[in-house]
Amino acid sequence: FSKQKPAYEIYQCDWSSDVCSSDLAAALALSGTALPAQPAAKPAKKAPPLVYDRVILGGRVVDPSSKLDEVRNVGISGGRIAILTPADIRGRDTINAKGLVVAPGFIDLHSHAQTAEGYRAQALDGVTTSLELEIGTADVEKWYAERRPSQLINYGVSAGHLKARTVVMHDTGSFTPVGPGARNAASPAELSDIMGLIDAGLRAGAVAVGAGFTYTPGATHEELLELFTVAARWKTTVHVHIRNGMAGLNEVLGLQRETKAPLHIVHLNSGALAETPEELKTLTAARAKREDVTTEAYPYPAGMTDIASATIQDMYRGADDARLSQIEWPATGERLNRASFEKYSKQGGLVAIHSNTEPMVLAAIASPLTMIASDAVLEHGIGHPRAAGTFSRVLGRYVREQKALTLTEAIRKMTLLPAQRLEKRAPVFRSKGRLRSGMDADVTIFDPATVIDRSTYREPALPPVGISWVLVNGVPVVARGKAVDGVAPGRPMRAPVGGAPAAK
């Protein structure tokens, strides 16, 4: 034994073996050699548990993109969804969502409430991304610059035909054109300038092209065809307020078929009115032929726009008092007559138009064709209740109370479908509208048993109940049903800047 390696070397090599260590101890005892002190056993090291920036625990997670509808814990890190798991997880901040639905943040394709006031009202309704895609803007770069560096929620805009006409034709309208931009046919030079602004807006990253044919009766078919042709070259959607009735629908379907520009019809029920079922049937047939057309609806039987706009003047000028009583002056609640119509037409301002019916609204909301979009209008406390109540109203009235559509289908209309409509041109939307690992942490958490709208024409910004938490890029902007002050996690949503259209 004394000719072998020193005992301490044997101990170092073989102590981990019970048999070897016992043999070694016996040998050392026989030889009279002292046994080295046995070190204390060291427990195996465990990797420390992951600690996420924020966790949402115990909620019913509904994600239409993966068809997940299970109780899960959600971990968020770096503004993105890191994990969805039934296992226990830890976070630096914890949201208890037991008994609540955890959904992707709602995407509103059609909101004119693009101010801090509007963003706050929409956030309280569960909206995490608010987009002005109908009216749009004539100067896309300036529009985004005015909202830098960030806002309460995500925001985006279209290159607007209405706004381009207003600028080029020196119209005085602030919301929609009310003079030559509405009534006059564009000269060749003006038409070139209008399309130049649209083209420049798309190059600056506009999400889509916006248009309102009912607001521009002076625009010729050739002008509208050119607008669709520009959109087709850029492979971007035209979000258009069509002229009323089946004639208006057939007009835009004809333009889409001729140019192959993607078409999105805004608030179908608002223009279709009693013809809503027929228009939905026509769109179903078009989609069955793989025509690239989508649409949206809002859950109210009254619309809202500027009383001085061409559409209101053309529809109501010369009408009798019974028809004029459809128009409400929201600041006071009065229904108009001939005298007050003339008075407010000269003054200008927003009016509510009570021209639709609840059965037509229900038909549009329940249709598998429609997305949900608010057409939000809110300015200095005056506006439409849809600015603060659209999404909670659908969840409370049409899902829970009337069971006109399932919860999953409603969430799909508010999240995944809008994101998919826009993501081809604007890839930033590929990480929106989904509640999956790697997606942006835009999350809306609500109580399906209580959620409902409360806003009215007198109090259009009155927040709903049941919207418990809203996270934008991982940051709470609504907590326990209250708006969070001093945060601005919203980001600009835009297409890649500096692109180029396909050749003519």
Side-chain angles (χ1 to χ4, degrees):
F1 182 83
S2 62
K3 294 181 181 180
Q4 295 181 6
K5 292 182 179 181
Y8 71 87
E9 292 187 5
I10 297 173
Y11 161 73
Q12 284 186 331
C13 294
D14 297 331
W15 188 262
S16 61
S17 169
D18 290 339
V19 174
C20 181
S21 63
S22 297
D23 291 345
L24 177 60
L28 289 171
L30 288 171
S31 66
T33 305
L35 183 68
Q38 181 176 341
K42 296 181 179 180
K45 290 184 177 180
K46 294 183 179 179
L50 288 174
V51 179
Y52 299 97
D53 295 342
R54 181 165 284 107
V55 293
I56 304 168
L57 302 181
R60 175 187 170 188
V61 174
V62 178
D63 174 46
S65 71
S66 62
K67 297 181 172 56
L68 176 66
D69 187 351
E70 299 285 349
V71 173
R72 290 288 187 272
N73 297 321
V74 182
I76 297 169
S77 287
R80 289 181 175 267
I81 304 295
I83 190 172
L84 297 97
T85 177
D88 292 338
I89 56 176
R90 294 173 54 199
R92 297 181 184 88
D93 184 62
T94 299
I95 296 172
N96 180 4
K98 186 176 181 180
L100 306 178
V101 171
V102 181
F106 304 152
I107 299 171
D108 191 348
L109 291 169
H110 186 169
S111 171
H112 308 301
Q114 298 293 322
T115 63
E117 177 188 23
Y119 294 152
R120 185 181 188 278
Q122 290 211 278
L124 288 163
D125 194 31
V127 174
T128 57
T129 299
S130 177
L131 305 168
E132 165 59 278
L133 301 186
E134 179 207 32
I135 301 292
T137 183
D139 190 334
V140 169
E141 187 54 56
K142 180 181 177 182
W143 192 93
Y144 280 109
E146 289 172 345
R147 288 157 180 79
R148 291 191 187 113
S150 58
Q151 296 291 324
L152 188 68
I153 59 179
N154 305 311
Y155 52 93
V157 74
S158 67
H161 179 241
L162 291 171
K163 292 296 187 181
R165 261 187 153 251
T166 297
V167 170
V168 170
M169 304 180 78
H170 306 289
D171 194 283
T172 59
S174 58
F175 184 56
T176 65
V178 296
R183 300 290 181 185
N184 292 2
S187 69
E190 288 172 333
L191 181 58
S192 178
D193 289 345
I194 290 167
M195 297 306 152
L197 284 177
I198 299 294
D199 196 73
L202 292 168
R203 188 169 285 106
V207 174
V209 168
F213 294 174
T214 189
Y215 293 111
T216 56
T220 64
H221 175 77
E222 288 71 26
E223 179 176 341
L224 304 183
L225 181 62
E226 180 63 19
L227 180 69
F228 268 66
T229 300
V230 170
R233 288 203 301 269
W234 281 91
K235 296 182 170 57
T236 189
T237 312
V238 185
H239 291 244
V240 59
H241 183 155
I242 67 174
R243 305 187 212 272
N244 292 342
M246 281 300 301
L249 177 60
N250 289 328
E251 177 183 41
V252 292
L253 288 175
L255 292 167
Q256 191 278 327
R257 289 163 182 158
E258 186 168 353
T259 63
K260 306 304 179 186
L263 169 64
H264 181 84
I265 298 168
V266 306
H267 53 44
L268 177 91
N269 50 315
S270 179
L273 302 178
E275 294 180 281
T276 294
E278 184 180 357
E279 291 200 12
L280 288 169
K281 183 178 179 180
T282 299
L283 289 178
T284 300
R287 287 182 59 81
K289 297 176 183 177
R290 299 188 179 278
E291 294 176 7
D292 194 356
V293 56
T294 54
T295 190
E296 69 189 42
Y298 60 74
Y300 294 87
M304 179 168 279
T305 194
D306 189 341
I307 192 172
S309 67
T311 187
I312 296 300
Q313 293 297 311
D314 289 350
M315 289 173 61
Y316 289 97
R317 180 158 294 283
D320 59 24
D321 286 351
R323 178 165 168 74
L324 286 168
S325 68
Q326 292 181 343
I327 305 176
E328 176 185 351
W329 188 252
T332 62
E334 66 183 293
R335 295 299 184 101
L336 302 193
N337 53 35
R338 290 185 181 182
S340 56
F341 181 80
E342 291 298 326
K343 170 187 172 183
Y344 290 126
S345 292
K346 293 175 182 177
Q347 177 180 327
L350 295 172
V351 288
I353 315 298
H354 297 270
S355 56
N356 208 352
T357 64
E358 180 58 29
M360 295 301 99
V361 174
L362 177 61
I365 295 298
S367 169
L369 293 178
T370 55
M371 305 172 202
I372 302 301
S374 71
D375 194 10
V377 181
L378 185 65
E379 185 175 350
H380 306 304
I382 302 297
H384 195 293
R386 64 196 180 199
T390 289
F391 295 87
S392 52
R393 184 176 178 86
V394 170
L395 294 169
R397 182 179 180 89
Y398 295 98
V399 174
R400 184 181 66 247
E401 296 176 359
Q402 298 193 14
K403 296 179 173 55
L405 66 168
T406 67
L407 179 66
T408 299
E409 182 60 18
I411 292 173
R412 181 170 173 265
K413 288 169 173 277
M414 300 171 179
T415 60
L416 182 62
L417 290 183
Q420 289 176 329
R421 190 51 168 144
L422 302 175
E423 64 190 14
K424 186 174 182 180
R425 166 157 173 81
V428 290
F429 285 97
R430 292 174 184 164
S431 62
K432 302 294 185 186
R434 289 102 164 160
L435 203 57
R436 301 168 65 178
S437 179
M439 299 294 102
D440 291 341
D442 291 351
V443 184
T444 297
I445 304 172
F446 62 91
D447 184 349
T450 63
V451 62
I452 197 68
D453 63 308
R454 296 190 302 156
S455 52
T456 67
Y457 293 95
R458 304 289 79 71
E459 295 182 276
L462 191 65
V465 296
I467 303 291
S468 304
W469 294 82
V470 178
L471 279 62
V472 175
N473 298 305
V475 177
V477 299
V478 173
R480 299 179 181 87
K482 305 293 184 182
V484 178
D485 295 327
V487 297
R491 300 170 185 164
M493 304 299 293
R494 62 198 300 180
V497 175
K504 291 185 180 181

